[in-house]
Amino acid sequence: MDFIYSNHGISQEDTEEYFKHSKFRYDCGMYSDAEGMLGRYLSISQPQNNSVLGALWGRLACRILQANWDDSLQDVTAVKEAIESRSIAPVDQIRQRGWLMHWGLFVYMNHRDGTDALVDFYAEKSYLQTLENLCPWLLRYFTVAVILSHRRRNLLADVLKEIQSMKYQYSDPITEFLECLYEHFDFDEAQSRLKDCQTLMKNDFFLQSFAEKFTHEARLLICEIYCTINRRVDLTMLAEKLELSEEEAERWMVDMVRSASAGSSVDAKIDSSGKQVIMSVPMRSAHQQVVDRTRDLTVRSSLLCSNLESTLQDQAFYVKNRERSF
């Protein structure tokens, strides 16, 4: 700022007026102009400036309204870092986190790799606590993202714990489907909840484009659990559980077993003449066990570092306030 003032005669007050004018452009629906102005404002502003966080929020809003999802994803990260790095009162900080979790739905649900990123975002300790205390309804989107993401499927057990612990606050057909399947092993009730899930997702702004994929993945989960429990599975019975014809169930089962991209843990053989699925005893090599255990090590390590940094910042804030009170 000193360089700009000495060489161009632009003061701090001028830059703040420029920031206010960008807000005026935004209110007029000139999102592209407002985005450019906010970008220039952020490029010359000091990080400790009180208006920086507002400018980051504004640029994120402009990019969301222009459906610029790649840049919006970068802005979500920038806003998140600003929230965690600034000395904000805990109540305001958790409110900012809650807003970011809501705004992030526009970005993650429209980005090509959004479901994986959404799971990583919501799984962070500070944001999971925000979900539990401020916005439990977001558990719906956390659950759907985990089901849709093959690479984050190992978090199903953690999501199930959240569903059970938050049941008194929030539940819907999606959370109830997972609970029926993994906790009660009630396949008939799970199938009934899946029908409700289809209706719910078709009427949900963020989930309607995932309705067909979710139904496929949910049927895959039903099939995996059912086949895990039973060594021999009658195709007629399986067709009833999946609400398909016998021919469709057989083709669906063949595709699931053969397809490496399906992410299925089912190892089976299909006896077409006997109309049975014969399950094989899973045998995992030592190499595969090591791969499974270390698959998400990088993600978990980054989450651990992020949670540790957040805890240290909270402690520093409380210590600073306590010293002031004395």
Side-chain angles (χ1 to χ4, degrees):
M1 285 302 301
D2 293 338
F3 175 82
I4 294 176
Y5 178 73
S6 60
N7 289 272
H8 302 282
I10 300 175
S11 64
Q12 179 68 35
E13 291 75 17
D14 295 330
T15 59
E16 292 305 313
E17 287 298 321
Y18 187 78
F19 171 66
K20 293 178 182 179
H21 186 63
S22 68
K23 176 65 164 59
F24 173 75
R25 291 289 185 96
Y26 174 84
D27 291 338
C28 292
M30 304 169 68
Y31 304 124
S32 180
D33 293 345
E35 178 191 349
M37 293 179 69
L38 288 170
R40 288 186 286 272
Y41 173 80
L42 288 168
S43 67
I44 62 174
S45 297
Q46 299 296 324
Q48 64 271 19
N49 192 320
N50 293 330
S51 299
V52 167
L53 183 57
L56 288 170
W57 276 110
R59 189 172 66 177
L60 173 59
C62 290
R63 288 175 171 174
I64 288 175
L65 290 167
Q66 296 177 90
N68 187 349
W69 306 124
D70 289 333
D71 290 337
S72 295
L73 190 61
Q74 297 177 9
D75 275 341
V76 168
T77 303
V79 172
K80 177 183 170 186
E81 291 175 352
I83 292 172
E84 302 303 326
S85 62
R86 300 175 72 86
S87 297
I88 307 175
V91 174
D92 293 332
Q93 191 176 49
I94 194 172
R95 188 180 296 115
Q96 294 272 353
R97 288 171 180 162
W99 277 113
L100 186 59
M101 294 178 77
H102 284 83
W103 285 38
L105 288 175
F106 289 98
V107 180
Y108 292 121
M109 289 303 181
N110 287 283
H111 198 271
R112 56 183 177 274
D113 298 321
T115 53
D116 290 348
L118 180 66
V119 172
D120 294 339
F121 179 34
Y122 279 16
E124 291 188 35
K125 181 181 178 181
S126 57
Y127 287 88
L128 190 58
Q129 290 174 343
T130 301
L131 185 151
E132 294 169 349
N133 294 286
L134 191 64
C135 38
W137 49 87
L138 292 181
L139 184 61
R140 170 189 297 181
Y141 304 100
F142 188 26
T143 304
V144 170
V146 172
I147 292 175
L148 294 179
S149 175
H150 291 152
R151 287 181 288 180
R152 303 294 183 269
R153 193 66 64 79
N154 61 311
L155 294 177
L156 273 174
D158 296 332
V159 173
L160 185 61
K161 290 179 182 178
E162 291 296 326
I163 290 173
Q164 292 172 329
S165 65
M166 296 173 61
K167 190 175 181 179
Y168 74 99
Q169 285 182 295
Y170 177 81
S171 65
D172 64 23
I174 294 174
T175 61
E176 291 172 354
F177 164 77
L178 209 61
E179 189 175 20
C180 289
L181 188 59
Y182 280 87
E183 180 66 19
H184 306 303
F185 299 100
D186 189 338
F187 298 98
D188 293 333
E189 189 66 22
Q191 190 62 51
S192 175
R193 289 291 177 269
L194 182 56
K195 292 180 182 178
D196 297 334
C197 290
Q198 294 169 345
T199 303
L200 182 150
M201 294 188 72
K202 289 178 181 177
N203 292 280
D204 189 291
F205 177 81
F206 296 107
L207 300 179
Q208 54 186 330
S209 60
F210 297 96
E212 185 175 344
K213 183 179 179 182
F214 177 85
T215 301
H216 173 79
E217 296 296 335
R219 284 175 172 169
L220 180 64
L221 292 178
I222 292 174
C223 185
E224 286 185 1
I225 297 299
Y226 191 77
C227 292
T228 300
I229 295 174
N230 300 277
R231 183 69 185 276
R232 289 179 177 269
V233 179
D234 184 70
L235 279 174
T236 303
M237 180 68 70
L238 183 61
E240 292 178 2
K241 299 297 180 185
L242 300 177
E243 293 196 340
L244 301 171
S245 66
E246 291 186 19
E247 293 76 11
E248 290 174 334
E250 184 174 351
R251 287 197 302 269
W252 196 84
M253 192 67 189
V254 169
D255 292 339
M256 187 192 70
V257 172
R258 288 181 177 177
S259 177
S261 61
S264 173
S265 60
V266 175
D267 183 13
K269 295 181 180 180
I270 300 175
D271 181 8
S272 299
S273 59
K275 294 186 178 181
Q276 287 184 332
V277 179
I278 303 173
M279 307 305 302
S280 302
V281 179
M283 297 292 292
R284 292 194 304 164
S285 64
H287 171 73
Q288 185 61 42
Q289 293 181 39
V290 171
V291 169
D292 291 342
R293 290 180 179 273
T294 60
R295 181 178 300 154
D296 297 318
L297 188 60
T298 303
V299 175
R300 291 183 176 272
S301 298
S302 63
L303 291 178
L304 180 61
C305 292
S306 176
N307 293 336
L308 181 60
E309 183 178 359
S310 176
T311 302
L312 292 175
Q313 289 175 356
D314 292 341
Q315 289 179 348
F317 178 81
Y318 285 119
V319 170
K320 186 177 180 180
N321 287 344
R322 188 174 181 180
E323 290 176 350
R324 286 180 179 177
S325 64
F326 286 105

